[in-house]
Amino acid sequence: MYIIQGGEALSGKIRVQGSKNSSLPILAATILNGKKNTICHVPKIKDIEVMNQILSHLGANIAVKDNVLEIDSKNVNKFDVPEHLMRKMRSSIVLMGALLGRFGRAKVSYPGGCEIGPRPIDLHLKGLSLMGVDFSGGHGFLNAKTDGLKGADIHLDFPSVGATENLMLAAVLAEGTTIIRNVAKEPEIVDLQNFLNRMGAHVKGAGTDTIKIEGCRIEDLKPVNNYTIIPDRIVAGTYLAAAAITRGRIQLTNVISEHLEPILAKLRETGCVINSRNGEIELYVDRPLVSLDSIRTLPYPGFPTDMQAPMMAFLATVEGTSILTETIFESRFKHAQELRRMGADITINGNTAIIKGVKQLSGAIVEAKDLRAGAALILAALAAKGETIVEGASYVERGYENIEGNLAALGAKIVKKDKI
Ligand code: UD1
């Protein structure tokens, strides 16, 4: 749990961690070359620990030193992802594409992860079927098998991030050309493409609607030395929202402001002052803020669903009525009920939240039920009067490296405790 005494305006400078959502598919990609890869700026978070445990189980040798991971996939000789680990993290589904590429086989359970509504994998399975994969299963397991992946022309019904990554990974060692249309355009997809190409793969088009991959043989793939993961735009956005909710002033280093533009645009609309230059972003508040009459989560470059909860916490403190619509995930409003316990005035109507800003949130005992909800509750606590206890630190630790240390360095009164 986090114990937070609210009321301190944040001030100071922090360096943003590497991206979780880039690191995970890139770690999966190390299976493909059967060689030693060194990856830098990997965040020290629970989801990465789970991914490392899975890769070790499969036979990879892993050395971790600070934020540098060395992964040698030469001795990978298993293709089953243990159920207890798969259940901890839905994104482990991307291992399927890499395992099918290297071994033509993969056995996974239906994936777990945060409880944010039904998260099907039909788009992953449809695409892989077109590439020549047969699926069988039962009792929560899925066996995937192919006599050889074949290039295919795949149109995704929705630009799913995970499906785009899984199909890219499968296509690297497929025979012939794969074209994936209506793909996700998130910066993390571009990062994966860059990593794969550093390995010797032929991937083009990431960041646009269509990705084309010319398949190659494992002998053509090289080790990757010192690949640096991009900064985490959601973590950066969370710290900016923390500065905004406390009406403080902070600078972030290690950011790519273009990736943050959809978030910065909305923060600016409320009246926050944001300056960005040379890989740094500064945010401060020097005037009364205004509510947002329309904010919708959308695939990139729209406003990210992962920032929806932190943004809701912030808007709960901004005078006037804000309307926030979640279009990516069902049931991603569980934090609203906890924010209400802290005095927020939020009404949920289907996939829309109507947020009436209040003058002052107040401390309470609240519980995070998913990663970003946890971040949102911490933010609300920073602005609340009195003490707040945020339970569910294990969710927050899935994605934020040392959030309590970073916020404390910015002047927040926050400590993490295992038990009272
Ligand atoms: C990734 C991110 C997550 C982010 C999300 C949306 C990682 C590790 N996680 O998750 O932080 O919130 O993108 O930006 O990168 N869907 C289907 N069928 C499928 C796949 C997805 O219907 O086969 C639906 C999902 O249920 C959801 C929507 O598509 O409603 C978006 O999912 P997707 O883009 O796949 O998200 P993830 O890759 O799971």
Side-chain angles (χ1 to χ4, degrees):
M1 72 179 70
Y2 299 96
I3 303 172
I4 298 157
Q5 313 291 335
E8 305 295 325
L10 298 190
S11 103
K13 192 185 240 193
I14 47 168
R15 183 174 161 80
V16 174
Q17 70 188 58
S19 162
K20 164 175 94 70
N21 289 353
S22 274
S23 299
L24 292 169
I26 285 175
L27 294 193
T30 62
I31 292 177
L32 289 169
N33 60 357
K35 297 196 167 70
K36 197 191 262 185
N37 304 287
T38 323
I39 307 164
C40 310
H41 218 218
V42 179
K44 276 195 238 160
I45 52 174
K46 285 271 158 60
D47 273 12
I48 297 293
E49 280 173 25
V50 174
M51 188 54 114
N52 285 345
Q53 285 167 22
I54 297 175
L55 290 169
S56 297
H57 163 87
L58 296 173
N61 289 319
I62 304 185
V64 185
K65 190 162 180 269
D66 299 325
N67 292 96
V68 179
L69 275 189
E70 203 177 82
I71 306 180
D72 188 343
S73 62
K74 183 166 138 236
N75 296 327
V76 170
N77 59 359
K78 292 201 189 104
F79 45 78
D80 70 298
V81 181
E83 186 184 352
H84 70 284
L85 295 175
M86 188 87 188
R87 289 201 178 281
K88 281 193 188 167
M89 190 175 63
R90 174 189 151 91
S91 47
S92 38
I93 191 72
V94 295
L95 286 156
M96 197 156 72
L99 287 169
L100 284 164
R102 174 102 179 257
F103 301 107
R105 301 197 56 176
K107 185 181 176 199
V108 300
S109 68
Y110 275 101
C114 288
E115 287 293 319
I116 50 176
R119 301 181 83 173
I121 53 167
D122 55 313
L123 302 173
H124 302 240
L125 304 188
K126 264 198 220 166
L128 290 169
S129 300
L130 289 171
M131 297 179 75
V133 179
D134 290 320
F135 294 98
S136 59
H139 305 294
F141 269 100
L142 193 63
N143 266 305
K145 211 174 163 192
T146 175
D147 294 334
L149 290 170
K150 304 256 183 314
D153 196 324
I154 301 163
H155 184 101
L156 296 179
D157 294 334
F158 178 85
S160 150
V161 173
T164 302
E165 293 165 345
N166 221 345
L167 296 170
M168 285 165 81
L169 290 166
V172 168
L173 292 175
E175 191 188 323
T177 305
T178 299
I179 297 176
I180 321 169
R181 300 176 201 275
N182 194 30
V183 292
K185 293 187 280 218
E186 271 67 0
E188 294 77 23
I189 307 278
V190 179
D191 211 17
L192 176 62
Q193 166 175 287
N194 291 341
F195 180 79
L196 291 171
N197 287 341
R198 278 275 299 274
M199 201 183 256
H202 304 286
V203 187
K204 278 199 299 205
T208 73
D209 290 318
T210 304
I211 294 178
K212 188 172 172 186
I213 303 123
E214 304 282 355
C216 64
R217 293 169 316 160
I218 188 165
E219 300 78 47
D220 302 327
L221 296 181
K222 303 173 291 208
V224 180
N225 287 317
N226 295 329
Y227 186 84
T228 301
I229 298 287
I230 58 169
D232 195 307
R233 64 196 164 97
I234 304 301
V235 169
T238 304
Y239 287 126
L240 293 175
I245 202 172
T246 62
R247 312 299 191 258
R249 179 179 203 129
I250 66 163
Q251 290 94 38
L252 299 180
T253 63
N254 191 45
V255 283
I256 299 176
S257 52
E258 189 193 334
H259 295 171
L260 277 150
E261 214 33 71
I263 301 168
L264 301 184
K266 285 294 162 193
L267 288 171
R268 275 198 187 102
E269 235 179 277
T270 66
C272 293
V273 182
I274 298 172
N275 299 311
S276 68
R277 72 185 90 84
N278 306 331
E280 287 200 14
I281 295 181
E282 176 188 50
L283 178 145
Y284 61 90
V285 179
D286 65 355
R287 66 199 75 175
L289 300 177
V290 293
S291 55
L292 297 178
D293 52 12
S294 167
I295 167 165
R296 293 171 78 79
T297 64
L298 285 169
Y300 190 85
F303 186 83
T305 174
D306 288 347
M307 271 303 292
Q308 181 255 106
M311 198 69 182
M312 184 186 288
F314 165 53
L315 292 173
T317 68
V318 175
E319 198 186 334
T321 301
S322 296
I323 312 279
L324 195 165
T325 305
E326 170 61 59
T327 77
I328 306 292
F329 288 110
E330 288 174 40
S331 323
R332 205 177 193 180
F333 276 151
K334 287 190 184 137
H335 40 281
Q337 164 190 331
E338 300 301 294
L339 289 169
R340 276 200 292 259
R341 295 162 67 90
M342 299 179 70
D345 182 347
I346 303 170
T347 312
I348 303 296
N349 185 0
N351 68 346
T352 296
I354 299 142
I355 306 152
K356 291 191 182 136
V358 295
K359 282 215 159 48
Q360 178 74 66
L361 294 173
S362 45
I365 299 175
V366 290
E367 188 181 353
K369 299 203 175 83
D370 71 64
L371 161 60
R372 306 301 169 187
L377 295 174
I378 291 175
L379 263 51
L382 295 175
K385 190 171 161 55
E387 180 175 280
T388 299
I389 294 179
V390 179
E391 285 168 351
S394 59
Y395 283 111
V396 177
E397 289 169 342
R398 288 187 55 182
Y400 292 89
E401 181 179 309
N402 189 22
I403 194 169
E404 66 281 9
N406 282 324
L407 290 172
L410 295 172
K413 292 195 174 134
I414 174 170
V415 287
K416 196 179 90 189
K417 286 215 174 119
D418 288 337
K419 282 201 181 85
I420 287 191

